[in-house]
Amino acid sequence: MTPIDAVGTEGELVIRPARESDAEELFGLTREFATSFRPERAAFDEALPRLLRDEDALLITAVTGGRVHGYLLGFAHLTLFANGPVAMVEEAMVRRGSRRQGIGRALLEECERWARARGARYVSMATRRAPEFYHALGYEESAAFFRKMLR
């Protein structure tokens, strides 16, 4: 796989940090990702620059042929129970029509490298989608996910 920040040739998969110039394609992917919420452009435009500056956030893109085909948003934070930091994947999305080509795997592997470099004890995510994909990458089911809508 091409290292992060590399400039790829046509058709080569490049995993790189997201940029503000990716906003249009990222917003389209968030709309494809969301099932419980309807992403709003104003909120997205406010959040993107903040996430790009957040040292505890990882926002990476998968680019092929100059087009963003997927992204991953993760965070690292300290815990008391795990004897140090852990990493949480909040969003991972690969464009329909681009799946099953190694893009999701490449995004997660980059997230794992980032998490290890930060001393994270593990990487986790809450999802009901594609359990066979996560199992194939060595992830195991660990807990139920609960949420309470606040608005």
Side-chain angles (χ1 to χ4, degrees), residues 62-114:
V63 179
T64 302
R67 184 169 184 218
V68 176
H69 288 266
Y71 78 95
L72 182 144
L73 173 62
F75 296 90
H77 62 273
L78 283 173
T79 64
L80 298 174
F81 77 94
N83 302 312
V86 298
M88 177 78 177
V89 174
E90 192 68 35
E91 301 173 28
M93 179 64 187
V94 175
R95 183 180 308 282
R96 284 185 196 102
S98 297
R99 296 178 185 152
R100 299 193 164 278
Q101 298 175 28
I103 293 171
R105 173 183 293 272
L107 287 164
L108 277 168
E109 287 173 350
E110 184 57 38
C111 179
E112 291 169 10
R113 278 190 285 280
W114 174 81

Side-chain angles (χ1 to χ4, degrees), residues 21-99:
S21 62
D22 296 324
E24 200 62 41
E25 289 182 293
L26 285 172
F27 184 68
L29 284 167
T30 63
R31 291 178 64 119
E32 198 175 318
F33 172 83
T35 57
S36 300
F37 296 94
R38 181 86 178 141
E40 298 172 4
R41 188 57 193 249
F44 174 92
D45 287 341
E46 182 180 324
L48 181 61
R50 291 177 62 192
L51 288 168
L52 293 175
R53 290 189 306 268
D54 187 336
E55 293 182 12
D56 292 323
L58 173 71
L59 181 53
I60 54 176
T61 59
V63 179
T64 302
R67 184 169 184 218
V68 176
H69 288 266
Y71 78 95
L72 182 144
L73 173 62
F75 296 90
H77 62 273
L78 283 173
T79 64
L80 298 174
F81 77 94
N83 302 312
V86 298
M88 177 78 177
V89 174
E90 192 68 35
E91 301 173 28
M93 179 64 187
V94 175
R95 183 180 308 282
R96 284 185 196 102
S98 297
R99 296 178 185 152

Side-chain angles (χ1 to χ4, degrees), residues 125-144:
M125 78 248 354
T127 185
R128 288 185 296 242
R129 298 178 186 179
E132 61 285 342
F133 168 73
Y134 294 106
H135 286 210
L137 293 176
Y139 287 81
E140 57 190 41
E141 290 184 47
S142 176

